[in-house]
Amino acid sequence: MNQGMQGSMETGNPQRAQLSAGGMRVPQQPRAADVDRQRDAAAGAVRGEHTHSEAPIPRPRPAVQRSSVRGQILDALRTALVAGELTPGEVYSAPALGERFGVSATPVREAMQQLAQEGAVEVVPNRGFRVVERGALELAELAEVRSLIEVPVMLRLARSMPVERWADLRPLAEATVRAASSGCRATYAESDRAFHRGLLSLAGNDQLVQIAEDLHRRSQWPLVGGPVGRGRAELLADAAEHTALLDALIARDLEVVRSLVGEHFAGAR
């Protein structure tokens, strides 16, 4: 019996066939036991039960591992971007970056395409990816948009949020101080976003959090021709504003909240 005929039998086709001695296919009538088995299988399928005639569910392919590599490379590229290791205006190829990170060019190219969607780099055909050149004007525009979005939310939360909910954010604020103490701008940038993300998440609006996160990340990219980033003292001053903001939110001092957030965004980088 050939493979196609065997598959027909396994699916319960009543027109099963067998090969005669001369090679001609001769229809064979189903046996009573086969009819009963088919009827039971059909009834089980209606009830949502597993039947022996079901094809086994294939195991997922190990694509998750590749996705994990791409995610790690994306995080590494974002860190390099914030730390100033990727210079604005410079073109970087996927193979060269892949050699730097010890991976193939494919996950690097996929990660850089994600950064291109975010506006951090732009595609240069047949060459690679150019880090976008940004000036002080763009940084000021980002600060203004962030202020327009986040200040009203914080003021609304300050009027209604129980004090203990603000206290839950204290560990995130303290984490920014520790990150600032390290002097590492990339480490501080990550903890800074985590604090603001935790604060805005209290509003219960996921779209708001995602948009604010994107704006915040963009504001942390390096400026063309400017310094790589703020020094340790400046990072510590920025982190101290998080603690002061929490104190004002707990006290429901709306004027201080408005003032602190405005100054925080104006000096954020």
Side-chain angles (χ1 to χ4, degrees), residues 24-60:
M24 181 181 296
R25 297 182 179 276
V26 181
Q28 177 178 324
Q29 297 298 320
R31 295 176 297 177
D34 293 334
V35 174
D36 292 340
R37 185 163 54 249
Q38 295 166 15
R39 183 176 60 250
D40 292 342
V46 171
R47 294 192 300 268
E49 299 174 353
H50 176 75
T51 64
H52 293 290
S53 63
E54 292 179 1
I57 300 176
R59 293 184 178 182

Side-chain angles (χ1 to χ4, degrees), residues 66 69-71 73-75 77-78 81 86 92-95 97 101 104-132 214 217-218 221:
R66 177 180 173 184
V69 172
R70 183 174 64 248
I73 296 301
L74 179 59
D75 289 341
L77 287 171
R78 283 172 170 166
L81 185 67
L86 298 180
Y92 298 88
S93 69
L97 289 173
F101 293 115
S104 68
T106 299
V108 175
R109 187 175 294 108
E110 293 172 345
M112 291 296 273
Q113 288 172 347
Q114 174 62 38
L115 288 178
Q117 293 179 7
E118 297 175 2
V121 300
E122 55 188 10
V123 179
V124 181
N126 302 321
R127 293 187 60 195
F129 301 86
R130 177 185 291 112
V131 178
V132 173
D214 178 65
R217 190 185 299 278
R218 288 170 179 263
W221 296 338

Side-chain angles (χ1 to χ4, degrees), residues 1 4 25 30 38 52 61 67 107 118-119 156 163 178 238:
M1 184 177 295
R25 297 182 179 276
Q38 295 166 15
H52 293 290
R61 296 180 180 179
S67 176
E118 297 175 2
R156 175 167 57 85
V163 173
R178 291 193 298 272
D238 192 81

